[in-house]
Amino acid sequence: MVISIDSPLDMHLHLRDGRMLDIVAPLSAETFAGGMVMPNLVPPVTSREDVRSYRKRILKAQGDERFVPYMTLFFRSDYTPEFLHSVKDEILAIKLYPAGITTNSEGGVKGFDIEELSPVLGVMSDLKIPLCVHGETGGFVMDREAEFIPIYEMLAKNFPDLTIVMEHITTKEAVAALDRYDNLYATITLHHLYITLDEVAGGLLQPHLFCKPIAKRPEDRDALSNVALNAHPKVMFGSDSAPHPREKKEAPGCAAGVFTAPIALPALAQLFERNGALDNLQAFVSDNARRIYGIEPIEKEVVLENSPYLVPEIYEGTVVPMFAGQTISWRVLSVG
Ligand code: DOR
Ligand code: ZN
C-alpha cells in the first residue's frame, strides 16, 4: 500500500546549533515541508537579531532541501510592545518555559504571576502571536502536567483571544482541557503515542526514551491516541524531536529528549495503519496546523509505502534515533 502526505509539518522541533544543527536540520528538511523551531538555545532566542541569525544558520544547514523553519522566541515577561510589533512578522509563536523545567529553560518564567505576565500576553493577543507552553509544574514528576492544567485554564480565561498551544501533552487531563476552552490547542509527539513509562523504566532503563514531560500511564496514552488518531481538530503533530549527543544520553544525568525527526513519518504511518486511521494522518500532520496557525506551507508531496525500513543505529556517529536498529513497517518512497 502507498499513501501520499501533502506538506507534512512538525509543529514542535529542536534543531539545536553548530554541528548538531548540521546533522539534524537536513533530516527534518528531507521529509517535512516545515517545522516550528524551538528557541531553547544557549543563550535562548530572545531578540530579532537572534531570530534572524538562527534562521540563517538553519537555512544553511538544511542545504538544498525545501523546508520552512517557522521561528519562535523564548518568552520573557519584559518584552516591550514595540519589540513585539517589530518581531511579529518573523516568528510564528512565542514559547513559554517554566524556569528550569527542562533542557536550557533556566531563563524561563518563575511563579506564573498573572500581573507580571499580562502586559506581554495582552500584546501577543492583540498582535495574534500564539503562545506555546511547556506545561509542567515543579511537582512530583508524574503529576507535573496535570498540576499545570489550572494555569492553562487561567491563561485561557484571561486571554480568550490568545491562541494557546499546550505543547507535547502526555495526560488524559490535558486532553480533557482541550474541549473546555476554545482557545486551547495541543501538540502531540510520536513517542508519547507509542510509549508509556513502562517502556522507559519498566525494564532496563532506556535513556533514549527519557524526555520531558516523561511518558505516563496506559490510560494517558490511550487518551492521546484517541484524539491524534481521530485527528481532533485542535491537535497537531509536534515531534519534540530533541537530539542530544549519545554521550549525554548514555550517561548518569541523562539529558531529556527523544530524537525522532528522521523516522517520524514512517512511524506515524505504522501507528495510524495499525489503528485503521490512515485517512486521518493528513489532518494530524498538516491540515490542523495550517488552520490553527493560519499558515500555507510550501508544496511537498511525501509518498510512504508499507514496506520494511531498518532504522539506522545512529546518525553521523552522534545521535541515536527512536527505534534505532529496529525495523518499522513503513518507509518514505519519494518526496516531490
Ligand atoms: O525532553 C525534552 N527535551 N523536553 C523538552 O521540553 C526539551 C527538550 C530538549 O530541548 O532537549
Ligand atoms: Zn520541546
Side-chain angles (χ1 to χ4, degrees):
M1 192 195 327
V2 160
I3 61 164
S4 165
I5 304 288
D6 181 15
S7 302
L9 296 169
D10 180 349
M11 300 314 291
H12 184 132
L13 174 62
H14 296 270
L15 288 179
R16 313 300 193 205
D17 217 338
R19 178 165 136 77
M20 187 62 92
L21 171 64
D22 289 339
I23 295 171
V24 302
L27 297 172
S28 277
E30 216 172 286
T31 53
F32 285 92
M36 195 162 89
V37 183
M38 291 298 121
N40 62 332
L41 302 182
V42 187
V45 178
T46 55
S47 71
R48 196 156 67 136
E49 193 38 48
D50 290 346
V51 171
R52 286 185 178 171
S53 61
Y54 189 30
R55 184 171 172 278
K56 273 196 200 144
R57 297 198 296 282
I58 294 167
L59 293 176
K60 182 158 178 260
Q62 74 190 49
D64 292 336
E65 302 289 352
R66 291 181 312 110
F67 175 82
V68 175
Y70 296 105
M71 305 304 292
T72 60
L73 268 183
F74 190 97
F75 184 95
R76 291 251 278 252
S77 57
D78 60 356
Y79 287 145
T80 64
E82 295 71 32
F83 167 66
L84 293 168
H85 269 98
S86 74
V87 79
K88 83 172 171 41
D89 292 337
E90 300 185 40
I91 57 170
L92 189 59
I94 298 183
K95 173 75 186 284
L96 186 155
Y97 289 92
I101 201 68
T102 188
T103 312
N104 306 336
S105 63
E106 291 69 24
V109 166
K110 295 195 175 104
F112 282 88
D113 174 3
I114 190 75
E115 300 286 313
E116 184 198 327
L117 305 180
S118 281
V120 170
L121 295 178
V123 177
M124 287 173 63
S125 176
D126 293 345
L127 295 177
K128 305 251 168 282
I129 304 173
L131 174 74
C132 298
V133 183
H134 182 120
E136 290 194 283
T137 67
F140 177 65
V141 68
M142 288 293 278
D143 298 335
R144 287 176 188 175
E145 184 173 290
E147 286 176 2
F148 197 88
I149 303 296
I151 300 178
Y152 278 129
E153 300 195 302
M154 182 267 287
L155 294 171
K157 270 188 220 157
N158 278 277
F159 299 95
D161 297 325
L162 179 66
T163 292
I164 301 169
V165 184
M166 302 185 284
E167 293 296 334
H168 43 54
I169 58 171
T170 59
T171 56
K172 58 185 185 340
E173 287 82 1
V175 170
L178 266 181
D179 289 327
R180 289 204 296 272
Y181 297 88
D182 286 348
N183 56 333
L184 272 189
Y185 300 86
T187 55
I188 299 180
T189 73
L190 173 76
H191 46 285
H192 292 118
L193 291 171
Y194 267 97
I195 66 169
T196 67
L197 187 58
D198 251 5
E199 279 73 33
V200 186
L204 295 179
L205 187 65
Q206 300 300 321
H208 295 290
L209 298 179
F210 171 65
C211 64
K212 301 287 179 69
I214 192 122
K216 305 287 188 317
R217 297 175 168 279
E219 57 266 36
D220 294 305
R221 184 182 53 182
D222 290 348
L224 300 174
S225 298
N226 184 36
V227 285
L229 295 167
N230 287 303
H232 184 298
K234 296 177 85 182
V235 305
M236 352 170 224
F237 177 62
S239 68
D240 198 12
S241 178
H244 292 277
R246 181 181 197 165
E247 66 273 15
K248 292 263 167 64
K249 294 290 291 175
E250 297 176 7
C254 163
V258 184
F259 179 53
T260 54
I263 54 100
L265 289 173
L268 281 171
Q270 171 175 272
L271 184 78
F272 275 61
E273 186 204 13
R274 280 182 187 165
N275 290 280
L278 275 176
D279 286 350
N280 291 333
L281 187 54
Q282 174 69 37
F284 180 61
V285 292
S286 185
D287 300 352
N288 287 356
R290 299 183 200 201
R291 203 181 50 255
I292 293 166
Y293 279 107
I295 51 177
E296 190 46 62
I298 57 167
E299 280 180 27
K300 193 161 182 173
E301 191 193 23
V302 179
V303 179
L304 297 153
E305 177 189 48
N306 69 335
S307 67
Y309 165 52
L310 177 63
V311 176
E313 293 278 1
I314 192 162
Y315 289 87
E316 303 292 333
T318 298
V319 58
V320 177
M322 187 178 180
F323 297 125
Q326 297 176 40
T327 299
I328 53 183
S329 59
W330 284 74
R331 69 183 184 103
V332 176
L333 189 62
S334 66
V335 181

